[in-house]
Amino acid sequence: NAGVTQTPKFQVLKTGQSMTLQCAQDMNHNSMYWYRQDPGMGLRLIYYSASEGTTDKGEVPNGYNVSRLNKREFSLRLESAAPSQTSVYFCASSEDARQGSKAVQFFGPGTRLTVL
Amino acid sequence: KNEVEQSPQNLTAQEGEFITINCSYSVGISALHWLQQHPGGGIVSLFMLSSGKKKHGRLIATINIQEKHSSLHITASHPRDSAVYICAVGRGSQGNLIFGKGTKLSVKP
């Protein structure tokens, strides 16, 4: 099992460009999450999907959109990238939304995004 | 004030030392997680606690719900334990977690 995979690993964008970060999990998990990690700050939740067909905003959703394409895949889109979106982005998944915050999350390797 | 505070921010230890990392939180929680972020960036879950104590190998995690405090202990530390250790709390029926800023541990041989 690959676990949680993310593509790309690195990306450089110019201000105003758009891109989609891809995430897939092969653990048959119901819930998936997108986080960003910035220096000196803890991980912050951008969007999450408690189950296939649902998505909800997290702490820092502005400037992002998400799609839960199917149970395996959860993508994050930047429509018009800004330098403030320079960050490392992590996707995660957990087995069962009914476990709530007790569910252990499994993380992807991260995508390092730079917006010039 | 951050809802999840970790101390210390940075910790340097000699191989073999006993290490303690602390996490305090200011909100009611249903679960507390400890995670490890490797120097290469990967993040793995170490423990999920809702009460008491858990042990896995040389790692021990404790939580005191009344005092809103948790500790992560590493016995007989080794250079391969060098990583950032992250505390996160969950508050309810959703899986959303609130993360601390992490404690960067460096274990010297």
Side-chain angles (χ1 to χ4, degrees), chain A residues 24-87:
Chain A
Q25 51 89 12
D26 62 3
M27 295 174 283
N28 201 36
H29 284 174
N30 286 309
S31 301
M32 297 185 75
Y33 312 83
W34 275 107
Y35 296 97
R36 60 179 289 172
Q37 186 177 43
D38 300 296
M41 303 189 73
L43 287 156
R44 292 183 292 169
L45 182 66
I46 304 171
Y47 271 93
Y48 67 99
S49 171
S51 60
E52 187 179 355
T54 68
T55 60
D56 285 287
K57 295 178 181 179
E59 181 185 353
V60 288
N62 290 346
Y64 306 95
N65 285 301
V66 290
S67 295
R68 183 74 184 266
L69 303 169
N70 47 55
K71 192 171 185 179
R72 288 187 64 248
E73 298 172 288
F74 188 39
S75 63
L76 178 72
R77 182 159 179 85
L78 287 71
E79 290 291 352
S80 179
S84 60
Q85 293 178 303
T86 294
S87 188

Side-chain angles (χ1 to χ4, degrees), chain A residues 35 37 40 42 48 100-101 103 105, chain B residues 30 33 37 90 92-96 101:
Chain A
Y35 296 97
Q37 186 177 43
Y48 67 99
S101 59
Q105 295 188 18
Chain B
S30 55
H33 297 254
Q37 185 166 22
S93 59
Q94 300 284 357
N96 306 2
K101 295 180 181 181

Side-chain angles (χ1 to χ4, degrees), chain A residues 33 35 37 40-45 48 50 56-59 88 90 94 97-109, chain B residues 29-33 35 37 40-45 47-48 50 86 89-102:
Chain A
Y33 312 83
Y35 296 97
Q37 186 177 43
M41 303 189 73
L43 287 156
R44 292 183 292 169
L45 182 66
Y48 67 99
D56 285 287
K57 295 178 181 179
E59 181 185 353
V88 181
F90 288 95
S94 63
R98 290 172 297 180
Q99 293 177 307
S101 59
K102 295 185 179 182
V104 172
Q105 295 188 18
F106 295 80
F107 286 79
Chain B
I29 69 168
S30 55
L32 183 142
H33 297 254
L35 306 101
Q37 185 166 22
I43 300 172
V44 295
S45 179
F47 295 104
M48 187 284 293
S50 53
I86 300 169
V89 300
R91 297 182 61 184
S93 59
Q94 300 284 357
N96 306 2
L97 300 177
I98 305 168
F99 292 80
K101 295 180 181 181

Side-chain angles (χ1 to χ4, degrees), chain B residues 38-84:
Chain B
H38 300 292
I43 300 172
V44 295
S45 179
L46 298 174
F47 295 104
M48 187 284 293
L49 297 160
S50 53
S51 65
K53 176 179 176 178
K54 286 190 177 179
K55 183 176 189 289
H56 185 257
R58 295 180 295 105
L59 301 179
I60 304 165
T62 64
I63 188 168
N64 185 317
I65 297 292
Q66 287 74 28
E67 294 187 4
K68 293 187 166 64
H69 181 269
S70 175
S71 293
L72 177 67
H73 305 286
I74 304 175
T75 62
S77 60
H78 189 276
R80 65 175 174 266
D81 297 325
S82 298
V84 176

